[in-house]
């Protein structure tokens, strides 16, 4: 499958990984829009939020729980922003589900909005 995030999850393309376990991987966005800009992905290929099944709920929940820990550990202890772009209307560019985690020591400005 020609999916760039599957290749990152498989270690075929390098990324600045900040966390991984059996199911999830988190790495720094190649084009950061904030002092902290991470992407959390499921290692298993899921195209987008629009293709989630009811049984994927716990996995999505784990991504949200992980976001708070990674933000705090990586320089954004006082809050953060999560964004999940979905489909054409959501201007999703990479069709492997991912959660943007944006933050920094200071409040985000509007350029960090999507
Ligand atoms: P989205 O528009 O939500 O699909 O954003 C995709 C993000 O993925 C975008 O912010 C840039 C990032 N990205 C794309 N290719 C790579 C890559 O090869 N490595 C890393 N680290 N990030 C990537």
């Amino acid at each position: 499958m020609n999916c760039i995030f599957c290749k990152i999850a498989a270690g075929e393309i390098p990324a600045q990984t900040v966390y991984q376990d059996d199911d999830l991987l988190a790495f720094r966005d190649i084009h950061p829009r904030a002092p902290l800009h991470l992407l959390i992905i499921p290692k298993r290929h899921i195209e987008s939020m629009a293709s989630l099944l009811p049984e994927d709920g716990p996995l999505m929940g784990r991504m949200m729980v992980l976001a708070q820990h990674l933000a705090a550990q990586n320089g954004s202890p006082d809050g953060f922003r999560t964004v999940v772009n979905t489909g054409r209307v959501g201007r999703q560019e990479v069709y492997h589900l991912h959660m943007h985690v944006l933050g920094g020591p200071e409040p985000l400005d509007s350029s960090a909005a999507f």
Side-chain angles (χ1 to χ4, degrees), residues 4-5 8 13-16 27-31 33 37 39 84-85 90-95 98 100 114:
I4 196 147
F5 287 178
I8 288 174
I13 290 179
Q16 287 187 278
F27 53 94
R28 294 186 190 278
D29 193 290
I30 203 166
H31 296 131
R33 295 188 176 102
H37 188 168
L39 301 172
V84 183
N85 295 322
R91 295 188 181 275
Q92 184 175 358
E93 290 173 5
V94 177
Y95 276 77
H98 53 280
H100 297 260
F114 281 74

Side-chain angles (χ1 to χ4, degrees), residues 18-19 28 35-38 68-77 103-105:
V18 297
Y19 176 86
R28 294 186 190 278
L36 177 67
H37 188 168
L38 303 176
Q68 58 170 313
H69 293 298
L70 295 184
Q73 288 167 6
N74 289 278
S76 193

